[in-house]
Amino acid sequence: MIPTLTEGQQATLTCTAPGLCSGSVPEITWTWRGAGGTESYITGNSTNFKTENLAAFTQRHISTLTFNASSEHHNTSITCKINFTCGKTTEETLTVNVKYMKEIIIIGNSTLREGDVLNLTCSVESFPPSVIVWSNLGSNTKLHKDTGSATLVFHNVTPEHSGQYICTVKHLDTTPTSYVDVTVTPACVKHCGSYSTVLPWIVAGVSLTLNVFCIIYIWFLWNSRKKVNLHQEERTYMSLQKADVSSDYDVIAHHIN
């Protein structure tokens, strides 16, 4: 029988050949079969072999396998195979269970806009399966609880959903935690942000239009004033060239002739 092992701790397995065997010493080998079904020898281990004399012609052969248990050994099959010199073989295969827990993983978008869906998943690979609890920082209220993997979902989030969310994993006598900071941006910020980007271009366009209008207006006034001055100069010149001789001058001119 193989008890449940613990990751990181040293484990020793013992394989004993049938007690009523005498003669030459058998060969005892250890192999293990992983999840993919591939058989290989256990790495990072040490073996020890000894023979015990039970009676004058009776011996018992014992082989021990020592290794550090890890998560890769969980749910694998370990086989002890005994080969006697006479060609007879026997073997025993048992399944190994190892208590372990890997790193906590949190996936999901933590930066949201108002009205979005908050979807956070906390999971951890472990044996036995861990209990996972979601909660808020500073609150004892359990938001969600599940085994192995827990998904926290909030629809139509608001800025009030912002804060730190805690994933607590309960595995055997340990309770490791992991955190994620969630930020929910108000909806107005989204529009204001777009306005703040477009507004300078709007102001520049209006300013350019007003400047062009003013230039055209000034040019129109300048042309109008120039035409008025030209007409006045022409009338003055014409008035100077006009002969204005009264009847008195006609009389004087007549007498002189």
Side-chain angles (χ1 to χ4, degrees):
M1 299 296 296
I2 301 179
T4 301
L5 308 178
T6 302
E7 183 179 31
Q9 295 185 3
Q10 192 177 76
T12 299
L13 303 181
T14 300
C15 182
T16 305
L20 299 177
C21 291
S22 60
S24 60
V25 178
E27 178 188 21
I28 302 178
T29 57
W30 295 87
T31 58
W32 67 286
R33 192 179 300 273
T38 303
E39 186 176 273
S40 63
Y41 291 94
I42 299 175
T43 58
N45 68 86
S46 63
T47 56
N48 187 28
F49 181 86
K50 68 178 181 178
T51 299
E52 295 179 350
N53 294 317
L54 301 179
F57 298 99
T58 306
Q59 295 176 328
R60 182 168 60 191
H61 309 288
I62 301 172
S63 176
T64 56
L65 172 68
T66 302
F67 63 98
N68 289 323
S70 68
S71 59
E72 71 173 0
H73 296 126
H74 176 67
N75 204 28
T76 60
S77 299
I78 291 185
T79 300
C80 170
K81 187 174 183 180
I82 303 175
N83 296 310
F84 294 97
T85 55
C86 62
K88 188 175 179 61
T89 63
T90 183
E91 64 181 35
E92 183 74 20
T93 301
L94 294 176
T95 300
V96 178
N97 289 318
V98 181
K99 292 181 289 187
Y100 73 95
M101 186 185 71
K102 293 189 176 182
E103 182 183 3
I104 300 173
I105 299 176
I106 296 178
I107 59 174
N109 189 6
S110 59
T111 303
L112 307 168
R113 289 191 176 95
E114 188 173 2
D116 290 345
V117 178
L118 174 63
N119 192 320
L120 297 174
T121 299
C122 180
S123 61
V124 61
E125 181 183 339
S126 65
F127 179 82
S130 303
V131 176
I132 300 177
V133 178
W134 277 107
S135 61
N136 278 117
L137 181 65
S139 174
N140 295 325
T141 304
K142 297 178 181 179
L143 302 176
H144 187 65
K145 178 181 178 181
D146 213 331
T147 302
S149 177
T151 301
L152 183 66
V153 179
F154 287 116
H155 296 275
N156 296 320
V157 295
T158 64
E160 285 72 21
H161 287 94
S162 298
Q164 191 174 80
Y165 290 80
I166 305 172
C167 173
T168 302
V169 177
K170 297 181 179 180
H171 181 257
L172 301 176
D173 297 329
T174 63
T175 54
T177 58
S178 185
Y179 305 85
V180 58
D181 292 317
V182 174
T183 302
V184 180
T185 304
C188 67
V189 173
K190 176 181 178 182
H191 300 297
C192 293
S194 60
Y195 291 154
S196 63
T197 305
V198 177
L199 185 59
W201 292 100
I202 296 177
V203 173
V206 173
S207 177
L208 179 61
T209 302
L210 290 176
N211 289 334
V212 172
F213 177 78
C214 290
I215 292 172
I216 295 174
Y217 182 71
I218 293 172
W219 178 80
F220 176 77
L221 291 178
W222 183 78
N223 276 340
S224 299
R225 183 179 295 273
K226 184 177 179 181
K227 291 179 179 180
V228 170
N229 292 335
L230 180 61
H231 291 326
Q232 290 178 348
E233 290 176 358
E234 289 177 352
R235 286 196 299 270
T236 303
Y237 177 77
M238 292 173 62
S239 63
L240 291 176
Q241 296 298 325
K242 179 181 179 180
D244 185 11
V245 182
S246 62
S247 57
D248 294 333
Y249 286 102
D250 291 337
V251 174
I252 295 172
H254 177 75
H255 287 295
I256 291 174
N257 291 334

